[in-house]
Amino acid sequence: MTQALADMRRDYTRDGLSEAHAPSEPFALFRQWFADAVSTEQAPVEANAMTLATVDEDGRPHCRILLLKGLDAQGFTFFTNYQSAKGEQLAARPFAAMTFFWPTLERQVRIEGRVVKVSHEESDAYYQVRPLGSRLGAWASPQSKVIRDREELQALLKATEERFSDTRPDCPEHWGGYRLLPERIEFWQGRSSRLHDRLNYRLQGTDWTRERLAP
Ligand SMILES: Cc1cc2nc3c(=O)[nH]c(=O)nc-3n(C[C@H](O)[C@H](O)[C@H](O)COP(=O)(O)O)c2cc1C
């Protein structure tokens, strides 16, 4: 087993990332790379899936996969339960890091910054375009809480279906979006022999600076 792990390696040769082809601010490059990922990555890879890391009050890190659901000039938006473990962590420490990995393209993007809640109106606008099952699930599931068994979840869902049998479910107050306002965005392109390209953008005041990092 240990030897098998030690022998697992791939050489990355698909592409490069040079300053000459990188814009002076990171959003345009993220949009380009994201479009590349959407057109290149095959199912079951979801191009908008990323790892979101948060820290708790004691400074301990926690990470999990989430789906990116919005990108605008301010930042990167995802949706979740505000009372979940990550919701509690973000209330205590409103900073996060997200990492995208697009394996076919041999690319990684790391984004770090402060996190703010989006308005209830913005959350509701997204909530209303979700499939009914997901909308009901947001009401029914006490995300991250201990439940007895699968039957308890099914009973919670049944009660929610009955509650909304005649009305359209609205977005719960305990569910909605967060926006990560980036202060650092790093683009990583795998290269041969582990001599990868890393271009790092840092926000200084209102301007982005770009620097190359050693792999
Ligand atoms: C592919 C994938 C996509 C996911 N997307 C979301 C999402 O958009 N929002 C969410 O709350 N949880 C999502 N999850 C579940 C989270 O990984 C996690 O289990 C959940 O949010 C609870 O995390 P927490 O206990 O740290 O708060 C997703 C999981 C996977 C594997």
Side-chain angles (χ1 to χ4, degrees):
M1 168 73 171
T2 310
Q3 190 52 41
L5 285 174
D7 288 342
M8 285 175 81
R9 67 172 60 81
R10 230 177 88 192
D11 199 35
Y12 305 124
T13 55
R14 186 181 176 113
D15 209 344
L17 176 60
S18 72
E19 284 80 350
H21 294 103
S24 56
E25 60 82 28
F27 283 90
L29 186 53
F30 184 86
R31 286 180 193 282
Q32 179 58 54
W33 275 29
F34 187 72
D36 292 346
V38 169
S39 61
T40 309
E41 296 296 344
Q42 304 284 318
V45 174
E46 293 177 274
N48 62 332
M50 44 85 179
T51 302
L52 181 86
T54 51
V55 286
D56 63 26
E57 280 186 307
D58 301 324
R60 290 177 182 252
H62 303 265
C63 60
R64 74 294 278 162
I65 306 289
L66 259 72
L67 297 177
L68 183 74
K69 286 290 171 178
L71 170 60
D72 60 21
Q74 291 177 63
F76 298 78
T77 304
F78 54 91
F79 290 86
T80 193
N81 187 313
Y82 289 143
Q83 295 168 351
S84 64
K86 81 183 83 50
E88 288 174 3
Q89 289 147 19
L90 287 169
R93 299 268 185 269
F95 297 93
M98 49 177 69
T99 303
F100 292 84
F101 175 43
W102 294 309
T104 308
L105 293 166
E106 302 171 348
R107 286 175 176 173
Q108 168 184 248
V109 179
R110 297 168 56 179
I111 303 167
E112 296 162 10
R114 175 177 284 278
V115 175
V116 294
K117 277 185 181 174
V118 308
S119 69
H120 186 66
E121 291 67 38
E122 186 175 339
S123 293
D124 190 54
Y126 170 64
Y127 179 86
Q128 295 303 343
V129 301
R130 303 178 83 212
L132 180 61
S134 306
R135 279 181 281 152
L136 293 173
W139 278 105
S141 170
Q143 191 178 56
S144 313
K145 303 291 183 290
V146 175
I147 51 172
R148 199 175 49 248
D149 49 25
R150 182 85 200 172
E151 282 64 46
E152 180 176 352
L153 186 62
Q154 265 145 7
L156 287 166
L157 180 62
K158 189 160 177 287
T160 304
E161 285 168 347
E162 283 162 9
R163 174 176 170 191
F164 293 110
S165 59
D166 296 332
T167 54
R168 208 170 74 129
D170 48 352
C171 179
E173 290 288 340
H174 66 255
W175 191 94
Y178 288 101
R179 187 172 287 116
L180 190 158
L181 314 176
E183 292 156 10
R184 173 178 119 83
I185 305 185
E186 182 204 318
F187 297 83
W188 182 102
Q189 176 72 59
R191 299 293 300 271
S192 190
S193 302
R194 303 296 186 251
L195 295 175
H196 315 299
D197 287 326
R198 300 177 66 188
L199 290 186
N200 187 43
Y201 291 80
R202 276 187 298 121
L203 189 61
Q204 302 206 293
T206 54
D207 295 327
W208 289 95
T209 60
R210 194 186 65 202
E211 59 211 356
R212 178 170 285 263
L213 302 179

